[in-house]
Amino acid sequence: MAERLLVVAALTSADALAGAFDAAWRAGHQRLEALSSHPLPGLRDPSRPRRLTGELGVGVVVAGIAFLIQYYAAAWAYPMDVAGKPAQAWAPLVPAALVLGLMGAGIAALVSMVREAALPRLHHPVFDASRLDLGDEQCYILAIEVKESELPQLRPWLEGLGAEEIQEVRP
Amino acid sequence: MSPAGPGERVAAVALSAPRPWPWGVAAFSAVLLLLAYVASVLVLFRNGIGIFGNNIPVGWGFPIVNIAWWIDLGHGALLLAAGAVLAGDRWPAISRVSESIALFAGAVGGSFAILHTGRPQYIYFLFTYPNTLDQWPQWRSPLMWDFFAIIAFLVVALIVWSVGMLPDLAVLRDHAKGRGRQLFYGLLALGWRGSHRQWAAWSRARTVLASIAVPLAVISTGISALDFAGGISAGYHSTLTPVDAVAAALATAAGMALTVAVVLRRTFALDDLVPVTELETLGRVLLGSALAVGFFALYEGYMAWYGADLFDRYSLSQTLTGAFAPWYWTWIALMVVLPLSLAWRSLRTSPWLLGTLGLLANVGAWVDHYLVTVTPQERGFMTSAWRDFSPTAWDWLLLCGSVGFFVCLLLLQARLLPVLAVHALRPTGQEAGHG
């Protein structure tokens, strides 16, 4: 089986990185990442954006469970007569259910982010690119995973896109 | 050697910046107050709430005032933080400072929620759990809603704060010298490397969380206001109270964010990273919310008069010209009249004036909570039950101690974590998105 390499190329600007990322994607490279110290609005992410169904679903389920627990307690397990108000009244059960539903959706958003961002991953091969300073805010990096045999063609291609420093690391 | 970028400078504050002398004074004072807080809590747990000035009929004294003040500050700060994200996430100070205030004020306020009972060992009675007494909480009470609102608020504030902090922790990791610090920040950053997928997931989570935080902050503030509005006492029973509370919470949070941001930028020489335009934005929020607070104050006064209820009118007269007038006018001066000066741009662009007005607005907010909480109980429906409230030394010590607790948390964050949201800053040459 052919050895795979992670080719890490430093570009000079955010625009250059966005352009190189786009070109690499169109050239058929699908295992690639653009790394930067801040979000890049100009970068077109070809991966399909996720919908909000996960967070919404968790929020609705949590709110529903909270509502049912309250209803069970207020109407069935311990019906308390407070100034003749009906034990089955649903309106007073909404506020707690609503805030707990929002909390559930918030937790789901956190879990979803951690999962999508593939965190925690304390070590990644890109950290082994010793000649690149990931802490530099002007450092814009394109990382492409390729077969070792593709390297001779990839290097000049990346240099043509404006890459200044190119390094290979084992994934 | 190239000049340090914004991220490197923010990282240096936590990693290597020398501590100026005001820092030492602030840290010493805050720790002293924190010790006072701990001592008060120990005495409270030993002796019970008899150490406070609470009496009959004033069952809700300083501890309730303090809960409402701190939690409303937290709610307002969460609203501010969420608004900053939804407006483009481009204000490094507003984002970090308001997210931190939301979490820390929530933590301090949450501690009062336990302390005010005087019997912390029974706090679990508020939870829903199967028990041998076959009893459940009273779901129709706003106090019960408030319990869940505070829990939800604290959880979401923690998530918003930690998600916002994540990429900035990676900045600290990348600039840290020494294996120990690199490991510490590396673990906290969870291995963040700033890939486009991570940024996309992170940006999406920020937006979703902000969209959740806005209704949560508004509903939670409304619920805590319903604790009062649901009561029948003259001065409590007002339909407008929950809406008024949201405006007041936002004014309080904008004021506190201004104070903290002004002190931070001056202490750590970050003036250029936190431009005056950013402070001016907070000043506008303070001005707008102060106007709303003023409107509600006028409207509630008018309704008390127009409603022609004997007790409401008496309560109004006591507030405007009677025994409670000093509290009332102090509140109006600090939270409504003084912030109106921000209508003038020359005043709105003076950092120290903004910081001072912000601090005074917070004092005004505490006075407002005192006025709303305590005074209606002092003058109830039966004149035979009228009695004044007089706070004890423990009341004051716990209040001042809680301020020390809050400041300690802020100082600890400034010492260990990024003081500004680095992700909202752009490296030199890319300032287009910033401002």
Side-chain angles (χ1 to χ4, degrees), chain A residues 33-34 36 51 82 137 140, chain B residues 6-8 193 196 204 430:
Chain A
E33 274 189 342
S36 58
R51 290 184 183 163
V82 180
E137 290 151 47
Y140 300 98
Chain B
E8 194 176 348
R193 59 186 185 281
H196 69 283
R204 181 179 173 282
Q430 285 193 41

Side-chain angles (χ1 to χ4, degrees), chain A residues 13-14 21 25 30-41 43 45-47 49-53 55 69-74 77-78 80-82 85-89 91-93 95-96 98-100 102-103 105-107 109-110 112-114 116-124 126-127 133-138 140, chain B residues 4-9 128 133-141 144-145 148-153 155-156 159 162-163 166-167 170-171 173-175 186-206 208-209 211-213 215-217 219-220 223 226 422-430:
Chain A
S13 68
F21 182 89
W25 179 265
Q30 294 196 351
R31 303 178 76 147
L32 79 169
E33 274 189 342
L35 292 94
S36 58
S37 65
H38 51 89
L40 299 178
L43 193 140
D45 184 2
S47 57
R50 264 184 14 87
R51 290 184 183 163
L52 287 172
T53 43
E55 288 87 344
I69 289 176
Q70 292 180 84
Y71 191 82
Y72 163 76
Y78 195 65
M80 204 185 313
D81 187 352
V82 180
K85 293 185 178 71
Q88 295 83 5
L93 314 182
L98 196 56
V99 291
L100 290 176
L102 287 168
M103 182 185 79
I107 294 171
L110 174 68
S112 169
M113 187 213 79
V114 167
E116 276 180 51
L119 295 173
R121 183 173 179 183
L122 296 182
H123 183 260
H124 187 275
V126 78
F127 293 137
D133 182 5
L134 286 174
D136 183 357
E137 290 151 47
Q138 305 277 17
Y140 300 98
Chain B
E8 194 176 348
R9 286 177 58 200
T128 54
L133 297 174
D134 206 22
Q135 288 188 340
W136 292 85
Q138 167 53 291
W139 303 109
R140 298 183 189 92
S141 166
M144 202 59 227
W145 308 341
F148 290 107
I150 290 174
I151 299 268
F153 157 68
V155 170
V156 171
I159 293 173
S162 50
V163 167
L166 190 63
V171 174
R173 172 200 64 200
D174 295 337
H175 288 100
L187 285 172
L188 290 181
L190 304 177
W192 177 272
R193 59 186 185 281
S195 75
H196 69 283
R197 281 197 191 88
Q198 289 182 334
W199 279 120
W202 179 85
S203 301
R204 181 179 173 282
R206 290 272 288 172
V208 172
L209 284 168
S211 310
I212 289 167
L216 181 65
I219 293 169
S220 298
I223 286 177
L226 279 171
V422 181
H423 57 80
L425 293 161
R426 294 289 178 270
T428 316
Q430 285 193 41

Side-chain angles (χ1 to χ4, degrees), chain B residues 1-370:
Chain B
M1 191 177 159
S2 61
E8 194 176 348
R9 286 177 58 200
V10 173
V13 171
L15 297 172
S16 58
R19 308 282 140 200
W21 67 265
W23 170 273
V25 174
F28 181 72
S29 314
V31 169
L32 270 187
L33 287 172
L34 178 65
L35 290 175
Y37 174 85
V38 173
S40 312
V41 169
L42 291 176
V43 173
L44 171 66
F45 286 174
R46 185 173 176 274
N47 297 350
I49 60 166
I51 65 168
F52 296 138
N54 299 16
N55 57 40
I56 302 295
V58 186
W60 283 8
F62 266 31
I64 295 289
V65 176
N66 297 339
I67 293 176
W69 180 52
W70 282 115
I71 290 288
D72 279 357
L73 170 60
H75 290 155
L78 188 61
L79 194 56
L80 199 59
V85 172
L86 295 176
D89 212 356
R90 60 202 166 94
W91 292 301
I94 296 179
S95 289
R96 179 57 31 83
V97 166
S98 53
E99 286 165 18
S100 310
I101 291 173
L103 181 63
F104 300 158
V108 178
S111 77
F112 273 106
I114 298 170
L115 299 178
H116 87 285
T117 63
R119 293 181 292 178
Q121 69 273 29
Y122 296 128
I123 196 70
Y124 69 94
F125 275 23
L126 287 164
F127 288 96
T128 54
Y129 69 104
N131 61 80
T132 52
L133 297 174
D134 206 22
Q135 288 188 340
W136 292 85
Q138 167 53 291
W139 303 109
R140 298 183 189 92
S141 166
L143 290 169
M144 202 59 227
W145 308 341
D146 204 11
F147 171 73
F148 290 107
I150 290 174
I151 299 268
F153 157 68
L154 284 176
V155 170
V156 171
L158 178 63
I159 293 173
V160 168
W161 177 83
S162 50
V163 167
M165 190 71 81
L166 190 63
D168 297 353
L169 287 167
V171 174
L172 258 67
R173 172 200 64 200
D174 295 337
H175 288 100
K177 304 277 185 287
R179 192 68 183 149
R181 282 186 167 185
Q182 286 171 344
L183 272 174
F184 175 68
Y185 292 115
L187 285 172
L188 290 181
L190 304 177
W192 177 272
R193 59 186 185 281
S195 75
H196 69 283
R197 281 197 191 88
Q198 289 182 334
W199 279 120
W202 179 85
S203 301
R204 181 179 173 282
R206 290 272 288 172
T207 309
V208 172
L209 284 168
S211 310
I212 289 167
V214 169
L216 181 65
V218 171
I219 293 169
S220 298
T221 315
I223 286 177
S224 71
L226 279 171
D227 291 342
F228 299 94
I232 58 168
S233 304
Y236 277 8
H237 198 62
S238 167
T239 318
L240 270 184
T241 304
V243 193
D244 179 13
V246 175
L250 196 55
T252 316
M256 184 62 85
L258 271 170
T259 307
V260 175
V262 166
V263 172
L264 276 181
R265 75 197 284 273
R266 171 52 61 191
T267 308
F268 298 113
L270 299 170
D271 303 37
D272 54 324
L273 298 185
V274 185
V276 174
T277 48
E278 186 168 344
L279 301 177
E280 199 185 348
T281 304
L282 278 173
R284 285 200 180 101
V285 175
L286 177 56
L287 172 63
S289 43
L291 274 170
V293 171
F295 167 76
F296 289 125
L298 277 176
Y299 193 80
E300 286 185 349
Y302 168 74
M303 287 310 289
W305 169 79
Y306 183 68
D309 178 84
L310 181 66
F311 293 98
D312 277 345
R313 281 194 172 178
Y314 179 74
S315 172
L316 179 66
S317 71
Q318 284 293 295
T319 303
L320 295 180
T321 57
F324 312 135
W327 293 99
Y328 181 78
W329 293 112
T330 303
W331 164 55
I332 291 291
L334 298 182
M335 213 169 172
V336 179
V337 177
L338 285 178
L340 291 186
S341 63
L342 297 176
W344 283 270
R345 190 164 190 278
S346 57
L347 300 179
R348 208 168 56 229
T349 49
S350 162
W352 285 109
L353 182 75
L354 284 166
T356 308
L357 288 179
L359 192 63
L360 292 175
N362 273 269
V363 176
W366 188 88
V367 172
D368 176 28
H369 282 97
Y370 176 85

Side-chain angles (χ1 to χ4, degrees), chain A residues 117-156:
Chain A
L119 295 173
R121 183 173 179 183
L122 296 182
H123 183 260
H124 187 275
V126 78
F127 293 137
D128 292 333
S130 54
R131 292 203 301 276
L132 297 175
D133 182 5
L134 286 174
D136 183 357
E137 290 151 47
Q138 305 277 17
C139 190
Y140 300 98
I141 298 172
L142 184 67
I144 308 179
E145 195 180 316
V146 291
K147 289 182 197 148
E148 203 165 357
S149 56
E150 295 176 60
L151 192 60
Q153 297 88 38
L154 189 65
R155 237 178 197 284

